[in-house]
Each structure stands twice: as structure tokens, then as C-alpha cells.
Amino acid sequence: MNFENITIILVNPSHPGNIGACARAMKTMGLSQMRLVKPRREVDADAIARSAGAEEILYQAQYFDDLKTAIADCQLVIGTSARQDVPDVIDLSFREAASIAVEAVAERKVALVFGREHAGLNNDELALCQYHAYIPANPEFSSLNLGAAVQVMCYEVFLASQNISKPVETRLQDAYATQHEIELLFAHFEKTLADINFYDPNNPRRLMPKLRAMFNRTQLLKSEVAILRGILTAVDAK
Ligand code: SAH
């Protein structure tokens, strides 16, 4: 299985020690690709110590200014949250999410996104994800430490990978769209729908989040994005 195609993304982590713990959690389960979105503090001696021998993951980590840029080249994005109250999204347990990730990994670059220690991922960030995954836990105390949550996810990915006896056959003629291509599609929709007065930016009525949620559920291919952009361009020309 191509574990290189799975990236663990940490959004604004506060504690370098937690970043180190995540690197350790990843390496124990065979994952190596880490992306960091604006960590509050730099990777330091505490991070290296807590990585307990997985420091190469820290040294090779890629840095980004925001989540949108960090997932631009990804084709499946799973956000993690202890919350299950975000509208219009598909909630999965970590086990279900890991199995979807492992099935996708032969042909797609997959991002597993983790939030801030104190505040998790915000709604805008969760809206960028096709699925939301949660660790079933005590409803009155459901928030795990960041490193512990990453450990559970990497473990589930490892277990799911053991159940795949042969690579899933590719049946599609085309590749999945990247998040960057999907963002360009949303921007085009927003502009065209405003131009034809279907969408009023001053009275948005959740239209764009609804459309985003719909497309997040459909796993668009590159060719499908091209068709939709072509339709919008034809409408623009009218
Ligand atoms: N108070 C925050 C908790 C943040 S814990 C909140 O309400 O979201 C830090 C990160 O660990 C979360 O953003 C998420 O990525 C992960 N995490 C912790 N507990 C989790 C759980 N039960 N299910 C899924 N992810 C969890």
C-alpha cells in the first residue's frame, strides 16, 4: 500500500511536544508525510524528544499558511473533529474513514486533517473536507489529546491496510479533481450565479455552503469539473 499518498495535516498546533508525539504516532504505523499549517511555535527540542526517534518526519514536514493551500494538491480530504453537529456533511467513525482512505490511496492523494488543541477545526476549515471523522468516545468527555487522536487514526489506517489483499482496481477513466481545481470551480459558480442574479452576495442564504457540501459528497473527477466549468462559461457568454 502506498502510505506516501497519505498526509497528516496539523492545523495551528500550539505545543511542539504534540507535533513530536504525532510524528511518533505516524512512524509506529508506517506513515511519514506530515504537513503543518502555521504551528504556533517552531519544532524544538521538546518536539524532537517527544518524537522518540521519528524526527525525520519533523525535518521533512512541509509548512503552509492555511488549510486551503495545504490541501490544494489532495484529492480526498477527511477532517477530524470531536463535534458531530456541522450541517450537510457526512460523519464517519475513524474506522470507516480509515477504510475509505486506504481504498482511495492507490489512485488519490489523501489528507487527514487535525485541529488545534484548544479549538479544533473551525467551520470554514471543516467545510473544505469531503468527510468528517470522529473517534466514538464518552459523550461527556470526547476530546482526545492531539497526539492520541493522530495515533488512533494512524492505527486504524494500518489495520485497514492489512485487510486490503490486492490494490483496488482502477475502474475510472479519469483522475479525481484536486482541491485546488474544486476551489476554482466554486469561485466560478459564485461569480456566475451572482452575475445571473441567482445568488445575492448580500443575502447569501447558505447557497454556497450548500453547493459546497453537495460537491463534497460527489467526489468530482477532473473531467466532470471541466464539464461544469464549460457550462458556467457558456452561461457567462450569454
Ligand atoms: N476542543 C476541541 C478539541 C480539540 S482536540 C474541539 O472541540 O474540537 C485536537 C484535535 O484532535 C481535534 O481538532 C481533532 O482533530 C482531534 N480529536 C480529538 N478528539 C477527537 C475525537 N473524539 N474525534 C475526532 N477527532 C478528535
Side-chain angles (χ1 to χ4, degrees), residues 15-179:
H15 302 295
N18 274 341
I19 305 177
C22 291
R24 179 182 191 175
M26 290 167 62
K27 188 168 178 180
T28 54
M29 298 296 143
L31 276 75
S32 61
Q33 305 299 309
M34 177 186 271
R35 291 184 178 182
L36 297 170
V37 176
K38 281 221 166 119
R40 294 271 196 88
R41 280 160 52 202
E42 280 179 22
V43 165
D44 60 7
D46 191 26
I48 308 273
R50 292 278 304 278
S51 77
E55 63 266 26
E56 75 273 15
I57 293 181
L58 301 174
Y59 295 140
Q60 288 161 13
Q62 295 175 287
Y63 288 76
F64 296 86
D65 284 339
D66 55 30
L67 180 58
K68 202 178 263 189
T69 351
I71 60 174
D73 63 341
C74 297
Q75 293 149 302
L76 175 66
V77 182
I78 301 179
T80 64
S81 171
R83 291 170 46 199
Q84 290 166 55
D85 58 356
V86 183
D88 303 325
V89 298
I90 303 176
D91 282 322
L92 305 170
S93 72
F94 266 30
R95 187 152 296 171
E96 294 163 322
S99 112
I100 287 176
V102 164
E103 276 194 24
V105 86
E107 50 192 9
R108 289 198 255 180
K109 199 168 173 64
V110 177
L112 303 172
V113 186
F114 293 82
R116 301 156 186 84
E117 288 91 334
H118 298 299
L121 295 169
N122 64 37
N123 281 353
D124 287 345
E125 288 159 346
L126 285 169
L128 298 173
C129 306
Q130 276 108 38
Y131 295 101
H132 293 179
Y134 62 92
I135 301 168
N138 178 355
E140 270 124 53
F141 197 77
S142 61
S143 176
L144 281 79
N145 163 268
L146 177 60
V150 169
Q151 183 74 72
V152 173
M153 178 56 95
C154 294
Y155 173 66
E156 290 292 347
V157 165
F158 185 82
L159 281 191
S161 74
Q162 307 288 296
N163 293 334
I164 294 239
S165 47
K166 62 180 176 62
V168 178
E169 273 176 44
T170 305
R171 290 173 300 274
L172 296 166
Q173 301 294 309
D174 187 18
Y176 285 92
T178 64
Q179 284 305 117

